[in-house]
């Protein structure tokens, strides 16, 4: 092997790295692109002549390996937090006051002020100066492994310059500059492909690619703004100095960040950036203030999922004018009849808005929206667009107030708006095509009648084909009929038929839950079954003595009203009759006289459990007599905490209340088998 080649390869890599650094970090390129391309071509040629000289951190190796089938999971050594938002100067003043009070500091604090970049958060690990791993934020605790994709971003270094620590985890934002975003959208249009709605989606879509070659072809940039895990380095005292060190190691830092003095400095910075925003080459949705001194940061600590030492001051949502072309009524899967305004399409807040929900009829009346009106619409970041107000002076003559439909636009059943409720609903239930499919899917679901194999797609086919109009029809289906469904062989049809048959023997709580009565979830169904023991007394009470229904724990007037409405409807009484006639049976639920093992104990659930829904946990605890409450107090027996717990967990810790995870909960449940 020639030493000349080895030397030249090393020299080329060093030179390319230097130009990358000048371009992406210092924003001060020294050579024209063509010259850079020439260096790269020479390096590639040398490496293909001497493959033994190829190393993973060579700039030619950014896209290495084949596309993967799925992203791996990365558990963040230090959780990735979010930021508290502020929307006014007063919010900034209050944030600064709280911070100084906690610290016991009277003089103004220094802050590190930087743009709030509109991309997606990433974390990247360097070991002994070499890039080894990158992940997305995910839920803050676990993210997706996007190592191969970050490698593919030329704007991010594969090796740090100078004396790098043993372990350095940096955090920052991956984003797509506006010019690049517009270019890839132009190119996509020319190819007749779909475009991205905004630079943030483009960045997210480009980073979360299973094929790193695609990521490499997208104009992504990264700005680093913080640290994760560290070994072999004690950070300097100030945030600005930390970023200075990152920059010296060759990591790209936002050039528009600066040190500001006190709350006045923060407010001036916000104003200046708001004014500058339209001229920036990248999209931002606000600015972030971080207490400069790291020692103060650690003294301030965190609340819930955000640090007390940082505040995101968001820009106000963007507004625009457009015209209402029509107001239509949509029937949701649960029967809610919702007004939707169709608009002359308008680009606002980074997307084209062509319709907005008006939520409910009261809202239409309150805002007095009419067809033909000129209206102000608003959209901020990820938020759903909204109709802010009507400009009455621009109303065309003869525009009439909107009327609420009396009949469902889908099935023609009566539309009712219960007293005190904002939402109007179609009363068609199973007989309304908009609701039927969802109602039957729910009926068959695991926690309801548990018809194994009868998933959403099959239900859709059965309902659309007209074979099933009500849940009772499921019990009349023959193997031959089932076999006519898509991708349904004889064997699967027989299995499904058996599953349907098996579901006939059920329990009262499951049946009640399966009926899909509004507000009657698994836990309420269980409480009702336990209280009434059989269906008839419940129907009797629901229809004639609602106050008796309210005696059930956790049942208030709203649930009682829904039970009343449900069981008073002839169609629903017929349904129950039809279910019985097709052989559906349920055991009476013997109200237990024995003391339930967890009676009198209050539990609080917070966060997401890995494999149980909140309803399931609540139902399981309820079955043992425990009460599940929404807030932690000294009386709380246990707090069950999953991923992303809220402030309840902090409170539990502060009060010294025992905390269980899902495994702990399961152990506790197993210790008291349900009778
Ligand atoms: S600091 C503990 N700085 O905003 C500190 N975040 O709302 C957490 N973001 O997930 C992040 N620009 O994706 C920080 N200059 C900036 C930022 C920034 C954008 C994003 C980031 C984070 C989200 C939190």
């Amino acid at each position: 092997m020639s030493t000349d080649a080895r030397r030249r390869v090393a020299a080329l890599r060093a030179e390319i790295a230097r130009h990358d650094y000048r371009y992406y970090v210092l924003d001060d390129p020294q050579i024209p692109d063509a010259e850079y391309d020439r260096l790269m071509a020479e390096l590639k040629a040398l490496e293909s002549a001497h493959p033994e000289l190829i190393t993973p951190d060579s700039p030619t190796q950014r896209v290495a390996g084949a596309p993967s089938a799925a992203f791996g999971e990365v558990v963040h050594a230090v959780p990735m937090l979010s930021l508290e938002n502020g929307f006014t100067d007063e919010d900034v003043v209050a944030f600064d006051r709280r911070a100084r009070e906690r610290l016991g500091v009277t003089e103004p604090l220094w802050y590190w002020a930087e743009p709030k970049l509109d991309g997606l958060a990433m974390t990247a690990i360097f070991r002994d100066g070499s890039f080894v791993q990158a992940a997305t934020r995910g839920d803050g605790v676990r993210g997706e492994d996007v190592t191969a994709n970050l490698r593919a971003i030329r704007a991010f270094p594969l090796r740090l310059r100078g004396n790098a620590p043993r372990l350095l985890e940096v955090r920052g934002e991956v984003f797509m500059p506006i010019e690049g975003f517009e270019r890839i959208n132009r190119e996509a249009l020319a190819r007749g492909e779909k475009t991205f709605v905004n630079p943030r989606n483009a960045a997210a879509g480009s980073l979360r690619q299973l094929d790193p070659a695609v990521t490499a072809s997208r104009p992504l940039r990264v700005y680093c703004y913080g640290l994760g895990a560290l070994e072999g380095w004690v950070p300097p005292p100030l945030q600005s100095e930390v970023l200075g060190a990152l920059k010296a190691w060759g990591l790209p830092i936002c050039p528009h960040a600066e040190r500001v003095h006190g709350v006045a400095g923060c407010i001036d910075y916000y104003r200046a950036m708001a004014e500058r925003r339209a001229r920036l080459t990248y999209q931002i949705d606000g600015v972030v203030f971080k207490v400069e001194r790291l020692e103060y940061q650690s003294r301030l600590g965190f609340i819930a999922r955000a640090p007390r030492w940082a505040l995101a001051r968001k820009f106000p949502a963007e507004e625009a004018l457009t015209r209402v072309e029509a107001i239509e009524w949509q029937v949701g899967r649960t029967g809610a009849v919702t007004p939707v305004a169709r608009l002359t399409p308008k680009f606002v807040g980074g997307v084209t808005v062509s319709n907005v929900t008006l939520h409910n009829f009261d809202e239409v009346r309150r805002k007095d929206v009419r067809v033909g009106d000129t209206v102000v619409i608003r959209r901020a970041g990820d938020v759903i667009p909204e109709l802010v107000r009507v400009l009455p002076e621009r109303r065309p003559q003869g525009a009439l107030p909107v009327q609420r439909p009396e009949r469902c636009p889908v099935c023609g059943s009566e539309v009712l708006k219960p007293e005190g409720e904002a939402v109007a609903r179609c009363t068609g239930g199973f007989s309304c095509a908009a609701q039927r499919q969802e109602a039957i899917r729910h009926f068959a679901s695991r926690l309801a009648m548990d018809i194994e194999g009868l998933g959403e797609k099959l239900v859709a086919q059965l309902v659309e084909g007209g074979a099933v109009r009500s849940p009772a029809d499921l019990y009349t289906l023959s193997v031959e009929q089932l076999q006519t469904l898509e991708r349904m062989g004889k064997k699967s049809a027989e299995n499904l038929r058996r599953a349907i048959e098996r579901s006939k023997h059920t329990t009262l709580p499951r049946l009640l839950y399966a009926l899909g009565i509004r507000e009657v979830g698994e836990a309420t169904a269980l409480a009702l079954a336990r209280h009434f023991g059989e269906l008839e007394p419940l129907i009797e009470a629901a229809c004639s003595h609602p106050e008796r229904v309210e005696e059930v724990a956790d049942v208030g007037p709203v649930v009682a009203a829904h039970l009343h409405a449900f069981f008073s409807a002839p169609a629903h009484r017929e349904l129950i009759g039809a279910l019985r006639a097709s052989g559906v049976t349920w055991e009476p639920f013997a109200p237990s006289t024995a003391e339930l093992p967890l009676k009198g104990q209050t539990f609080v659930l917070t966060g997401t459990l890995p494999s149980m829904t909140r309803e399931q946990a609540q139902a399981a605890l309820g079955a043992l007599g425990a009460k599940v409450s929404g807030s932690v107090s000294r009386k709380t027996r246990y707090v069950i905490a999953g991923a992303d717990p809220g402030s309840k967990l902090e409170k539990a810790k502060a009060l010294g209340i025992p905390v269980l995870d899902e495994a702990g909960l399961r152990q506790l449940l197993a210790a008291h088998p349900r009778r």
Side-chain angles (χ1 to χ4, degrees):
M1 185 209 312
S2 111
T3 9
D4 281 356
R6 181 181 293 277
R7 266 202 220 111
R8 184 64 190 148
V9 162
L12 282 167
R13 287 181 189 158
E15 195 169 352
I16 290 169
R18 196 160 54 78
H19 290 306
D20 281 342
Y21 175 67
R22 294 211 61 112
Y23 189 90
Y24 293 112
V25 181
L26 302 184
D27 194 17
D28 180 21
Q30 257 185 337
I31 53 167
D33 287 359
E35 179 63 13
Y36 180 94
D37 294 345
R38 198 197 58 72
L39 296 173
M40 208 55 169
E42 189 187 342
L43 177 62
K44 270 190 196 144
L46 269 174
E47 284 180 345
S48 63
H50 304 276
E52 69 282 1
L53 295 181
I54 298 176
T55 56
D57 59 6
S58 168
T60 59
Q61 300 304 301
R62 284 198 173 264
V63 178
S68 53
F71 295 111
E73 189 187 86
V74 170
V75 176
H76 303 306
V78 179
M80 291 182 77
L81 302 167
S82 52
L83 290 167
E84 188 196 327
N85 288 328
F87 298 93
T88 61
D89 288 350
E90 289 73 59
D91 291 343
V92 182
V93 171
F95 158 71
D96 169 70
R97 189 178 40 235
R98 281 196 307 272
R100 280 183 302 116
E101 274 172 12
R102 261 188 181 264
L103 294 169
V105 169
T106 46
E107 68 273 20
L109 290 173
W110 282 95
Y111 288 98
W112 180 246
E114 57 197 7
K116 184 159 196 301
L117 304 155
D118 210 1
L120 75 159
M122 67 92 207
T123 185
I125 296 177
F126 289 84
R127 279 190 198 279
D128 299 318
S130 282
F131 169 68
V132 292
Q133 188 180 59
T136 60
R137 174 163 180 263
D139 63 7
V141 178
R142 290 182 177 81
E144 284 171 330
D145 185 333
V146 287
T147 309
N149 295 352
L150 214 75
R151 282 184 69 85
I153 302 176
R154 214 176 98 184
F156 197 72
L158 297 177
R159 266 210 70 78
L160 298 180
R161 302 162 64 87
N163 236 344
R166 195 157 64 243
L167 172 81
L168 174 72
E169 182 176 11
V170 283
R171 294 192 166 164
E173 198 86 347
V174 176
F175 63 96
M176 191 177 287
I178 295 166
E179 190 194 87
F181 161 73
E182 288 171 348
R183 190 185 78 230
I184 63 164
N185 266 359
R186 267 197 313 275
E187 291 167 1
L189 267 181
R191 289 193 302 266
E193 291 170 7
K194 268 179 63 179
T195 54
F196 288 107
V197 292
N198 56 37
R200 195 238 323 274
N201 288 11
S206 303
L207 185 68
R208 297 188 61 262
Q209 275 289 335
L210 292 169
D211 183 356
V214 177
T215 310
S217 73
R218 302 278 169 80
L220 294 173
R221 298 292 281 269
V222 181
Y223 283 153
C224 297
Y225 49 62
L227 299 174
L230 298 175
E231 276 171 34
W233 184 50
V234 179
L238 302 179
Q239 183 82 14
S240 52
E241 293 168 343
V242 169
L243 295 201
L246 296 183
K247 184 167 175 179
W249 280 320
L251 289 160
I253 303 299
C254 175
H256 301 113
E258 58 188 71
R259 248 162 81 83
V260 298
H261 193 231
V263 74
C266 290
I267 291 173
D268 285 349
Y269 179 84
Y270 169 79
R271 297 254 154 77
M273 286 312 286
E275 195 271 319
R276 220 170 151 175
R277 183 184 185 189
R279 295 190 305 277
L280 291 176
T281 54
Y282 51 92
Q283 237 184 21
I284 66 176
D285 60 348
V287 298
V288 185
F289 307 119
K290 298 174 181 171
V291 171
E292 256 277 72
R293 194 161 284 285
L294 300 201
E295 187 234 330
Y296 287 172
Q297 293 187 1
S298 64
R299 271 168 58 194
L300 286 166
F302 306 89
I303 9 163
R305 304 179 54 204
R308 282 201 192 85
W309 45 263
L311 180 77
R313 164 74 155 101
K314 304 290 278 274
F315 291 130
E318 215 180 291
E319 296 189 341
L321 291 183
T322 187
R323 200 175 145 271
V324 176
E325 295 183 345
I327 292 177
E328 290 170 9
W329 298 87
Q330 280 181 349
V331 187
R333 289 152 67 106
T334 59
V337 180
T338 313
V340 177
R342 305 273 172 227
L343 307 169
T344 309
K346 184 83 188 186
F347 192 76
V348 55
V351 296
T352 301
V353 175
S354 44
N355 46 57
V356 288
T357 173
L358 296 170
H359 303 290
N360 55 57
F361 183 67
D362 292 347
E363 180 92 348
V364 177
R365 274 291 155 87
R366 197 173 58 74
K367 289 182 172 160
D368 191 19
V369 187
R370 304 185 189 187
V371 175
D373 272 344
T374 299
V375 293
V376 179
I377 55 168
R378 167 159 69 198
R379 184 181 181 276
D382 244 0
V383 182
I384 299 169
E386 59 170 332
L387 191 154
V388 185
R389 65 195 164 85
V390 168
L391 301 184
E393 64 279 13
R394 300 222 201 161
R395 172 167 290 163
Q397 266 194 347
L400 295 175
V402 175
Q403 298 300 325
R404 182 161 68 79
E406 284 171 14
R407 298 268 152 199
C408 169
V410 174
C411 70
S413 298
E414 201 180 346
V415 170
L416 280 185
K417 187 164 133 355
E419 189 68 32
E421 271 192 34
V423 179
R425 288 184 192 277
C426 162
T427 54
F430 293 113
S431 51
C432 175
Q435 300 165 67
R436 192 177 293 146
Q437 193 171 311
E438 169 60 15
I440 292 170
R441 189 205 58 75
H442 172 80
F443 182 85
S445 65
R446 199 162 58 80
L447 302 173
M449 300 299 277
D450 192 19
I451 305 181
E452 207 185 320
L454 187 56
E456 186 154 353
K457 292 214 177 88
L458 287 180
V459 171
Q461 284 186 59
L462 288 166
V463 172
E464 279 159 16
V468 171
R469 300 180 62 86
S470 107
D473 293 341
L474 291 172
Y475 296 99
T476 64
L477 294 169
S478 64
V479 173
E480 291 68 40
Q481 254 176 312
L482 289 172
Q483 251 180 284
T484 63
L485 301 176
E486 269 169 45
R487 280 192 290 272
M488 181 66 80
K490 183 147 192 283
K491 188 111 181 85
S492 338
E494 283 170 356
N495 285 343
L496 181 55
R497 179 73 206 110
R498 261 198 298 279
I500 294 174
E501 199 56 34
R502 252 199 321 272
S503 77
K504 282 183 176 177
H505 305 287
T506 190
T507 64
L508 182 56
R510 277 183 180 273
L511 176 83
L512 283 175
Y513 175 65
L515 291 175
I517 306 164
R518 292 199 56 71
E519 304 273 342
V520 178
E522 224 199 331
T524 308
L526 185 69
L528 289 166
R530 186 176 300 127
H531 188 89
F532 289 99
E534 239 303 10
L535 188 58
E536 277 64 34
L538 166 61
I539 297 181
E540 156 77 14
C543 295
S544 323
H545 310 282
E547 72 287 352
R548 282 202 222 144
V549 183
E550 286 183 47
E551 284 167 16
V552 180
D554 289 339
V555 171
V558 174
V559 177
H562 285 302
L563 286 163
H564 176 84
F566 186 89
F567 287 116
S568 315
H572 296 148
R573 304 285 280 267
E574 275 163 33
L575 169 67
I576 290 162
L579 287 172
R580 278 211 160 101
S582 31
V584 176
T585 57
W586 49 93
E587 303 148 23
F589 199 90
S592 141
T593 45
E595 279 288 283
L596 291 164
L598 301 184
K599 199 173 161 88
Q601 301 190 12
T602 305
F603 285 63
V604 173
L605 303 170
T606 178
T608 313
L609 297 177
S611 73
M612 284 174 111
T613 63
R614 177 172 290 261
E615 271 275 328
Q616 284 170 318
Q618 199 169 342
L621 286 164
L624 298 177
K627 198 173 149 234
V628 175
S629 155
S631 58
V632 178
S633 75
R634 285 186 197 287
K635 296 205 181 106
T636 307
R637 180 69 186 85
Y638 286 107
V639 167
I640 314 290
D644 273 340
S647 56
K648 292 175 197 170
L649 180 59
E650 308 233 328
K651 183 143 184 221
K653 284 188 180 151
L655 293 176
I657 288 166
V659 176
L660 298 179
D661 59 4
E662 182 179 314
L665 170 63
R666 286 189 184 278
Q667 250 176 22
L668 185 107
L669 295 173
H672 303 289
R674 198 157 144 175
R675 271 158 292 197

